[in-house]
Structure formats: C-alpha cells, structure tokens
C-alpha cells in the first residue's frame, strides 16, 4: 500500500510579516518546486552546504525529496518573498517501526533573508506540523558551531540530547562533532540508568 502525502491541521498558504515589513508566503512544497530548490541551493554559501544531510544542489537528490513528500515520509514548507525562494523547513518521518513516532526537523534560510524572523517562523510552523502528526519526539541535528540554529531550536523548547564526537565529516573531509537536540512532545522521556 502506497502512503499518501501528509495532511496538516493548518491550511497553507499563509502570509507572515517579517521584521523589515516584507511579506513572506509560506506554502507546502510540491513536485513542481524541484528546480526552485536546486536554484536556491546553488545560491547558498559553501559553509551552508557543508553540513546538509543531503546534497540539495544535486537534482537527483531533490527528486528523492519530492518523492518522499509524495509518499508521506516528509512534509516541507517553502517561504517565498516576491516569488523568490527565501527558505524551507521540513519534518522528516522515521520509517523504522521502533522510531515511527520520531521526526526530524530541517531548516534553511537564504542569507538574504536572515535576521528577519523568517527562520524562527518557519521552524515554528513545521514544529506545529510535527506535533499535529502525533509525533512523540522531534529532533534537530547540527554542529555545535551553528550557534544561530541552536538558539532558534532552544527558543522552541529543544534541549541538547547528545554530542557525538567527530561524528560528521564536512565536504572537505574534516571531522566535526554532531549536536543532537530533541523536543519531547509527550512530556516524558525514559531515562535509563546504565
């Protein structure tokens, strides 16, 4: 049986006002957005691309992303300002049976639109989507030096769950720690005493 695209409690598109007075339209990503995502990624600074979980500059990888949306494994919101893709936020559902109630949030905003509250609003929107899906735990992953991302997730109530030493490698082959932050939607967490 083929899964269906994710349905949300919030009807999209919506409009939000940014700190500089501009209006951003937030809408669900669709198959026709593939080239828009690839162009967005091509204009990101090299540092932003270093730690992406997938290479969104690669059209074939973005096709897989679109397919995951179609299958209901991922839900992505795009933010557009005057028709320009300004950022995205996604919730990716874990397909393993034992972690099916865990989702991962991913977020990226164009440097042109940072500092305007766009990333914070995108994070809040996709966070609400994750909660509406009945997820029990939501994760976000980054390197410890991504201070702005960490601060944004801390404002949403995420806490550091783990730091994995030399866990990720950037595109230049250098090892970096991986910071895993979580939000316990259900309000409880099993604590195991080793």
């Amino acid at each position: 049986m083929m899964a269906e695209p994710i349905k949300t409690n919030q009807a999209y598109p919506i409009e939000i006002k940014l700190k500089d007075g501009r209006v951003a339209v937030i809408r669900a990503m669709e198959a026709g957005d593939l080239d828009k995502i690839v162009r967005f990624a091509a204009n990101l600074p090299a540092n932003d691309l270093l730690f992406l979980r997938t290479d969104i500059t690669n059209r074939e990888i973005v096709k897989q992303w679109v397919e995951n949306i179609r299958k209901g494994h991922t839900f992505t919101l795009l933010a557009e300002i005057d028709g320009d893709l300004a950022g995205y936020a996604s919730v990716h559902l874990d397909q393993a049976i034992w972690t099916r109630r865990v989702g991962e949030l991913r977020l990226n905003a164009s440097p042109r639109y940072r500092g305007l509250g766009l990333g914070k609003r995108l994070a809040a929107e996709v966070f609400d989507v994750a909660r509406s899906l009945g997820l029990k735990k939501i994760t976000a992953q980054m390197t410890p030096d991504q201070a702005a991302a960490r601060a944004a997730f801390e404002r949403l109530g995420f806490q550091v769950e783990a730091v994995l030493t030399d866990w990720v490698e950037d595109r230049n082959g250098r090892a970096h720690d991986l910071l895993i932050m979580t939000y316990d939607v259900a309000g409880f967490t099993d604590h195991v005493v080793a």
Side-chain angles (χ1 to χ4, degrees), residues 56-73:
I56 63 171
T57 64
N58 181 324
R59 197 170 199 288
E60 292 305 310
I61 298 293
V62 179
K63 276 185 183 177
Q64 291 172 7
W65 181 359
V66 169
E67 184 63 13
N68 283 334
I69 290 170
R70 190 184 67 73
K71 289 179 178 178
H73 301 317

Side-chain angles (χ1 to χ4, degrees), residues 84-188:
D84 185 29
L85 181 56
Y88 68 84
S90 293
V91 60
H92 298 263
L93 305 179
D94 200 316
Q95 299 308 301
I97 295 288
W98 63 347
T99 54
R100 66 187 170 276
R101 291 292 179 207
V102 176
E104 180 186 350
L105 297 189
R106 298 182 195 166
L107 173 70
N108 206 330
S110 167
R112 292 178 50 202
Y113 302 108
R114 292 180 187 164
L116 302 175
L118 178 64
K120 179 180 175 183
R121 185 61 188 270
L122 273 171
E125 287 294 325
V126 79
F127 180 76
D128 285 343
V129 168
R131 285 194 306 198
S132 75
L133 295 174
L135 297 178
K136 303 297 183 217
K137 191 167 280 259
I138 305 169
T139 69
Q141 299 181 20
M142 64 212 70
T143 60
D145 60 323
Q146 293 175 291
R150 179 178 177 170
F153 283 105
E154 284 175 340
R155 282 192 297 275
L156 287 170
F158 281 71
Q159 296 181 341
V160 174
E161 186 85 22
V163 177
L164 304 175
T165 305
D166 292 339
W167 201 258
V168 296
E169 187 175 283
D170 66 24
R171 292 173 187 233
N172 299 319
R174 289 179 302 206
H176 297 267
D177 295 350
L178 177 67
L179 179 68
I180 300 175
M181 299 183 75
T182 62
Y183 182 88
D184 190 358
V185 178
F188 64 90

